[in-house]
Amino acid sequence: MRNIKLTIQYDGTDFSGWQVQKNTPTIQGLIEKAILIVTGEETRLTGAGRTDAGVHALDQRATFKTGSTLDPPVLSRALNANLPMDIRIIACEECEDDFHPRYNAKNKTYTYLICRDVPFSVFLRRFSLMCTYSLDVQAMDAAGPLITGRHDFSSFRASGCSAKNPVREIYTISVLEVGSVDFMGFTFKTPLLKISIQANAFLRHMARNIVGTLMEVGKGRIPPEEMTAILESKNRDAAGPTAPACGLFLETINY
Amino acid sequence: MRNIKLTIQYDGTDFSGWQVQKNTPTIQGLIEKAILIVTGEETRLTGAGRTDAGVHALDQRATFKTGSTLDPPVLSRALNANLPMDIRIIACEECEDDFHPRYNAKNKTYTYLICRDVPFSVFLRRFSLMCTYSLDVQAMDAAGPLITGRHDFSSFRASGCSAKNPVREIYTISVLEVGSVDFMGFTFKTPLLKISIQANAFLRHMARNIVGTLMEVGKGRIPPEEMTAILESKNRDAAGPTAPACGLFLETINY
């Protein structure tokens, strides 16, 4: 059996997340179905991370074993022909037998987009959180670095998280505001906030819970310096709410 | 009765175009329904142009008469609260009684986006035509200016067009290729072709028929210099096919 590595891009808006579920379209489920159509094999796709319903991916990775002898470019085209247009295989290659897209990942970057002006958001709304209130970007940018490093991230972990160990290492958190949005050659005069988090791995909802907490800082409800106490409390209730999925992108995975 | 002018933005993907139709959602129909909810008045919205099903607008304009005394900002917020998120009123003001969004327009610009690489188009596909073949951009850019000026555009007019006079004046046609796409702070390494047409007004499907013909030039099926003969033939069959709606944006209207 060959081990095939896929690089996948998806607009998560219309799917129920990565993981296979019965009676609802998921990225994993739809790709497994495409593999069955193309190779005739029932297989399990192993993803680098389980993105939630509505979360997008620029650079998701996954592997599957196959007896098929199809060349990777042919396999890639055949899978794309059997996938909805919102999911695309953008690279396909044979990899070493023991390569694991999650365990072998050195780090992942999730990026969250917040669009600061509702009326201009028609073209941006699928891909950003629309926020009508103003946010103190400086305070948010000061708050982020206070939780970088190797820590128990229980305060930012969803209750249903299945990870045995809540310790993760965040390398960087950056909060950047740009005054206008470039959108396919058009420029929208609406501020856009871009929050990027790079870590060795993420607990369930960790990126969205950090963003939700930073937004509370931005609104002035949590002072930036309180981030340290929130982290140390290891108590989910101490942190802010889970930011909506639509603004989140799995941006890069480094191996 | 006051005359109210709206500036409207929409992602046309999920609508059956501008014009009211029975049993199918249209931009005009949904805004008239929102006006009815907000003011209690059945009214007819007059648009600056009837965009086709799937066509987007960055800057559509429309007027309606109302007995309502609501302040324009309040009216705008109330209409947006009763519209789907893919349609937004981005400006609302009282205007002179005799202002007509179509007759008073000096010129309109339609812009068409062509994305040159399928696999990377997950985030771009709602807003561009995906094209797998290569196009000779230089030939297309040479062909466009051959049909600018005041002419009978019957060769680029849909059969069902209701305009009495097929004469229009095109001021500029530009064809521009950029090597990568800026998308909300992300960069996609896929070439993007941007075709912009500015004219005093457009016949039905005129922008899409011009784009479809320029694409035939780009494929090498029509020599650029043949544009003049196509225009002069006043024969729709001489020109290329109608380009799909998804790539077209009503970009600006000048008064």
Side-chain angles (χ1 to χ4, degrees):
Chain A
M1 300 285 271
R2 297 190 300 162
N3 197 20
I4 301 288
K5 179 168 74 175
L6 303 176
T7 305
I8 308 153
Q9 210 171 69
Y10 45 87
D11 169 352
T13 310
D14 299 327
F15 305 108
S16 301
W18 171 263
Q19 199 172 14
V20 164
Q21 289 178 57
K22 273 188 186 161
N23 304 323
T24 179
T26 68
I27 321 294
Q28 186 189 23
L30 288 161
I31 299 176
E32 288 178 358
K33 201 174 138 192
I35 294 169
L36 175 62
I37 294 169
V38 172
T39 68
E41 297 169 341
E42 296 235 12
T43 184
R44 177 89 323 166
L45 194 63
T46 306
R50 294 178 210 146
T51 54
D52 303 320
V55 172
H56 318 290
L58 297 169
D59 187 28
Q60 171 70 288
R61 311 292 178 99
T63 56
F64 67 99
K65 306 273 183 184
T66 180
S68 158
T69 56
L70 285 175
D71 271 346
V74 175
L75 187 56
S76 170
R77 276 197 298 275
L79 292 177
N80 278 330
N82 288 286
L83 284 168
M85 289 304 299
D86 282 339
I87 305 174
R88 291 290 96 180
I89 309 298
I90 60 169
C92 175
E93 53 186 311
E94 195 169 339
C95 61
E96 285 174 22
D97 236 30
D98 60 351
F99 174 81
H100 192 288
R102 188 158 77 252
Y103 303 148
N104 288 30
K106 278 190 198 143
N107 61 65
K108 292 178 195 170
T109 302
Y110 275 95
T111 289
Y112 198 93
L113 300 183
I114 301 170
C115 174
R116 297 274 301 277
D117 206 352
V118 170
F120 293 87
S121 62
V122 163
F123 299 100
L124 315 178
R125 67 165 196 97
R126 287 172 81 89
F127 310 112
S128 62
L129 171 65
M130 290 176 302
C131 151
T132 49
Y133 37 84
S134 68
L135 292 166
D136 182 342
V137 179
Q138 222 176 331
M140 294 170 76
D141 196 35
L146 298 176
I147 59 164
T148 56
R150 190 174 178 82
H151 304 289
D152 177 329
F153 282 97
S154 294
S155 299
F156 300 99
R157 173 189 193 168
S159 55
C161 180
S162 62
K164 280 174 198 152
N165 185 344
V167 174
R168 295 290 183 271
E169 184 169 2
I170 296 183
Y171 304 114
T172 55
I173 300 184
S174 64
V175 181
L176 182 79
E177 189 178 47
V178 289
S180 63
V181 185
D182 282 323
F183 181 86
M184 303 182 71
F186 300 119
T187 302
F188 295 108
K189 284 180 193 153
T190 172
L192 185 86
L193 208 63
K194 192 173 175 177
I195 303 175
S196 289
I197 307 172
Q198 188 180 63
N200 63 345
F202 287 79
L203 299 164
R204 189 168 179 220
H205 289 183
M206 183 168 143
R208 290 165 59 191
N209 289 340
I210 291 173
V211 169
T213 308
L214 290 177
M215 287 181 73
E216 292 299 291
V217 171
K219 289 179 208 167
R221 290 187 193 161
I222 294 179
E225 59 275 16
E226 211 176 295
M227 290 299 280
T228 312
I230 292 171
L231 177 71
E232 286 170 357
S233 74
K234 296 170 198 165
N235 175 8
R236 176 70 191 90
D237 296 335
T242 308
C246 59
L248 190 63
F249 292 76
L250 171 51
E251 188 176 3
T252 47
I253 305 178
N254 288 313
Y255 289 93
Chain B
M1 299 285 271
R2 295 190 301 161
N3 196 20
I4 301 288
K5 179 168 74 176
L6 303 177
T7 304
I8 308 154
Q9 210 171 69
Y10 45 87
D11 169 352
T13 310
D14 299 328
F15 304 108
S16 301
W18 171 263
Q19 198 172 13
V20 164
Q21 291 177 55
K22 274 190 186 162
N23 304 323
T24 179
T26 67
I27 321 295
Q28 186 190 23
L30 288 160
I31 299 176
E32 287 179 359
K33 200 173 138 190
I35 294 169
L36 174 62
I37 294 169
V38 172
T39 68
E41 297 168 342
E42 296 235 14
T43 184
R44 178 87 326 165
L45 195 63
T46 306
R50 294 177 211 147
T51 54
D52 303 320
V55 172
H56 317 291
L58 297 169
D59 187 28
Q60 172 70 288
R61 311 291 178 97
T63 56
F64 67 99
K65 306 274 181 182
T66 180
S68 159
T69 56
L70 285 175
D71 271 346
V74 176
L75 187 57
S76 170
R77 277 198 297 276
L79 292 177
N80 278 329
N82 288 287
L83 283 168
M85 289 304 299
D86 282 339
I87 304 173
R88 291 289 98 180
I89 309 298
I90 62 170
C92 175
E93 53 186 311
E94 195 170 339
C95 61
E96 284 173 23
D97 237 31
D98 60 351
F99 174 81
H100 191 288
R102 188 159 77 251
Y103 303 147
N104 289 30
K106 277 190 200 145
N107 61 66
K108 293 178 195 172
T109 301
Y110 275 94
T111 288
Y112 198 94
L113 300 183
I114 301 170
C115 175
R116 296 274 302 276
D117 207 351
V118 171
F120 293 87
S121 62
V122 164
F123 299 100
L124 315 179
R125 68 167 194 94
R126 287 172 82 89
F127 311 111
S128 62
L129 171 65
M130 290 176 302
C131 151
T132 50
Y133 37 83
S134 68
L135 291 167
D136 181 342
V137 179
Q138 222 175 331
M140 294 169 75
D141 197 33
L146 298 177
I147 59 164
T148 56
R150 190 174 178 80
H151 305 288
D152 177 330
F153 281 97
S154 293
S155 300
F156 300 99
R157 173 188 194 168
S159 56
C161 179
S162 62
K164 279 175 199 154
N165 185 344
V167 174
R168 295 292 183 270
E169 183 168 2
I170 296 184
Y171 304 114
T172 55
I173 300 184
S174 65
V175 181
L176 183 78
E177 188 177 49
V178 289
S180 63
V181 185
D182 283 323
F183 181 85
M184 303 180 71
F186 300 119
T187 302
F188 295 108
K189 284 179 192 151
T190 172
L192 186 86
L193 208 64
K194 192 174 174 176
I195 303 174
S196 290
I197 307 171
Q198 189 180 62
N200 64 344
F202 287 79
L203 299 164
R204 189 167 179 220
H205 289 184
M206 182 168 144
R208 290 165 60 191
N209 289 341
I210 291 172
V211 169
T213 308
L214 290 177
M215 288 181 72
E216 292 298 291
V217 171
K219 290 180 208 167
R221 290 187 193 160
I222 294 179
E225 59 276 14
E226 211 177 295
M227 291 299 280
T228 312
I230 293 172
L231 177 71
E232 286 170 357
S233 75
K234 295 170 198 167
N235 174 9
R236 176 70 192 91
D237 296 336
T242 308
C246 59
L248 190 64
F249 292 76
L250 170 52
E251 188 176 4
T252 46
I253 305 177
N254 288 313
Y255 288 93

